[in-house]
């Protein structure tokens, strides 16, 4: 039997890597043990690697940066735990070659998650490491799907008191795709907002049959907010992508979606400097304003 500390840090470390896909040593330390010396985190990761549960690649930059990811065996073990049961397992990350090809985007997604986590800790609000769910599959018909970089669950208000649960889809863009492709993602989310699946064997609703609801209502009481996190360029590049998002808002297919769903964007630099709960988010329908993303909806 694998010697895993099921009561504490070993289990959390493997669960976090399984869910987040990849993280550096420093990122793992910020998640699982920010109050102790980083050497403890390094020893824990080395131990899990010896047991075959995780592995690493070393990037030839920044002092040979180590990036950790779960092995297939580690994913198998962690997926049986109640806190991860039913979650979608990582795609093709369980070997060094696949990890190396995805490392840039995946580490940025992990960093985004940590900024939300650290901000919630400072504010005393409830957002736990496993409340960040990467790559949740949402069908939109025709064999297509929306797969956000993450879905986050955040409770606004004191962690030990009454609060309001807010949810958001998170899209992290590192300027690796053109602004038009980024803006086209809005149309995909609008399709998800309206998508009503056709039950097998039924082409139309008949009298006495219950109405079929939108697919997303199976998972969320309200459609999650949509957060675009922009990185990979300076302010000019961020503004170019913001203008592309703004430009597509005139599309009639987005009218109802944008009226009912908060869609905002912010740079990763602003999240680092001010925190995700600050008024750094720009509504794509009004780029001159700034809002707080996690306020309860009216």
């Amino acid at each position: 039997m694998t010697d895993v500390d099921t009561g504490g840090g070993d289990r959390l470390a493997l669960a976090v890597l399984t869910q987040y896909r990849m993280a550096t040593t420093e990122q793992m330390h910020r998640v699982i043990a920010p109050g102790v010396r980083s050497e403890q985190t390094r020893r824990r990761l080395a131990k899990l690697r010896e047991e075959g549960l995780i592995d690493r690649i070393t990037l030839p930059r920044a002092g040979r940066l180590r990036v950790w990811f779960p092995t297939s065996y580690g994913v198998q073990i962690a997926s049986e735990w109640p806190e991860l049961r039913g979650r979608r397992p990582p795609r093709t990350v369980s070997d060094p070659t696949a990890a190396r090809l995805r490392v840039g985007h995946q580490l940025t997604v992990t960093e985004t998650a940590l900024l939300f986590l650290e901000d919630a800790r400072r504010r005393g609000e409830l957002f736990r490491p496993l409340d960040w769910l990467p790559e949740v599959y949402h069908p939109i018909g025709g064999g297509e799907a929306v797969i956000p970089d993450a879905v986050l669950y955040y409770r606004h208000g004191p962690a030990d008191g009454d609060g309001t649960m807010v949810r958001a889809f998170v899209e992290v863009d590192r300027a690796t795709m053109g602004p038009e492709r980024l803006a086209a993602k809005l149309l995909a989310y609008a399709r998800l907002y309206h998508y009503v699946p056709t039950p097998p064997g039924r082409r139309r609703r008949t009298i006495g049959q219950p109405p079929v609801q939108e697919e997303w209502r199976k998972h969320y009481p309200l459609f999650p907010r949509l957060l675009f996190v922009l990185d990979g360029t300076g302010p000019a590049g961020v503004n170019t992508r913001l203008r592309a998002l703004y430009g597509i808002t005139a599309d009639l297919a987005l009218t109802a979606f944008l009226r009912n769903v908060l869609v905002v964007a912010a740079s990763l630099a602003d999240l680092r400097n001010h925190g995700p709960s600050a008024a750094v988010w720009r509504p794509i329908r009004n780029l001159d304003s700034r809002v707080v993303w996690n306020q309860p909806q009216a």
Side-chain angles (χ1 to χ4, degrees), residues 1-4 14 18 48-55 69-81 94-95:
M1 180 176 178
T2 303
D3 178 21
V4 177
L14 180 56
T18 299
L48 293 174
R49 186 182 185 221
E50 290 174 0
E51 293 168 338
L53 295 167
I54 67 175
D55 204 350
F69 57 93
T71 63
S72 296
Y73 175 52
V75 171
Q76 178 185 348
I77 294 295
S79 296
E80 296 173 354
W81 295 338
S94 298
D95 69 82

Side-chain angles (χ1 to χ4, degrees), residues 70-128:
T71 63
S72 296
Y73 175 52
V75 171
Q76 178 185 348
I77 294 295
S79 296
E80 296 173 354
W81 295 338
E83 60 267 39
L84 293 184
R85 193 171 297 147
R87 304 284 174 87
R88 189 166 181 253
R91 297 180 302 168
T92 67
V93 179
S94 298
D95 69 82
T97 300
R100 195 179 304 276
L101 292 174
R102 296 186 62 190
V103 68
H105 178 76
Q106 200 61 58
L107 289 184
T108 305
V109 174
T110 297
E111 182 66 18
T112 303
L114 295 188
L115 293 175
F116 280 94
L117 179 63
E118 292 169 335
D119 187 58
R121 286 170 175 169
R122 287 191 297 267
R123 296 170 58 84
E125 297 190 319
L126 188 59
F127 176 68
R128 296 157 298 194

Side-chain angles (χ1 to χ4, degrees), residues 2 44 58 65 77-78 88 154 185 188 236 250 254-255 266 291:
T2 303
R44 188 181 304 282
T58 302
L65 188 70
I77 294 295
R88 189 166 181 253
Y154 190 106
K185 287 189 175 184
L254 292 171
T255 301
V291 300

Side-chain angles (χ1 to χ4, degrees), residues 246 249 263-264 281-291:
Y246 174 77
T249 60
V263 182
V264 293
W281 300 92
R282 299 170 70 174
I284 65 165
R285 291 205 296 176
N286 181 8
L287 296 180
D288 293 329
S289 64
R290 301 290 188 276
V291 300

Side-chain angles (χ1 to χ4, degrees), residues 28-209:
M28 287 298 296
H29 183 67
R30 289 161 60 192
V31 177
I32 67 175
V36 303
R37 294 177 58 186
S38 59
E39 180 60 29
Q40 180 173 321
T41 299
R42 287 194 290 269
R43 287 198 301 266
R44 188 181 304 282
L45 294 171
K47 174 174 175 281
L48 293 174
R49 186 182 185 221
E50 290 174 0
E51 293 168 338
L53 295 167
I54 67 175
D55 204 350
R56 74 184 186 208
I57 58 174
T58 302
L59 302 182
R61 67 169 191 259
R64 295 181 60 80
L65 188 70
R66 290 179 174 177
V67 178
W68 301 88
F69 57 93
T71 63
S72 296
Y73 175 52
V75 171
Q76 178 185 348
I77 294 295
S79 296
E80 296 173 354
W81 295 338
E83 60 267 39
L84 293 184
R85 193 171 297 147
R87 304 284 174 87
R88 189 166 181 253
R91 297 180 302 168
T92 67
V93 179
S94 298
D95 69 82
T97 300
R100 195 179 304 276
L101 292 174
R102 296 186 62 190
V103 68
H105 178 76
Q106 200 61 58
L107 289 184
T108 305
V109 174
T110 297
E111 182 66 18
T112 303
L114 295 188
L115 293 175
F116 280 94
L117 179 63
E118 292 169 335
D119 187 58
R121 286 170 175 169
R122 287 191 297 267
R123 296 170 58 84
E125 297 190 319
L126 188 59
F127 176 68
R128 296 157 298 194
L130 299 183
D131 290 335
W132 177 272
L133 280 64
E135 300 177 353
V136 180
Y137 182 93
H138 295 85
I140 57 176
E144 298 182 72
V146 169
I147 306 176
D149 285 315
V151 180
L152 73 86
Y153 293 79
Y154 190 106
R155 200 178 76 172
H156 180 69
D160 57 353
D162 294 333
T164 302
M165 178 64 69
V166 289
R167 302 163 184 82
F169 295 127
V170 181
E171 288 285 348
V172 177
D173 177 65
R174 300 176 56 244
T176 55
M177 65 176 68
E180 294 79 11
R181 283 186 59 196
L182 174 66
K185 287 189 175 184
L186 276 178
L187 292 173
Y189 278 98
R191 283 180 61 186
L192 174 61
Y193 181 77
H194 293 290
Y195 173 60
V196 177
T198 302
R202 187 197 300 183
R203 293 188 176 182
R204 65 177 65 180
R205 183 186 172 198
T206 59
I207 296 175
Q209 290 178 319

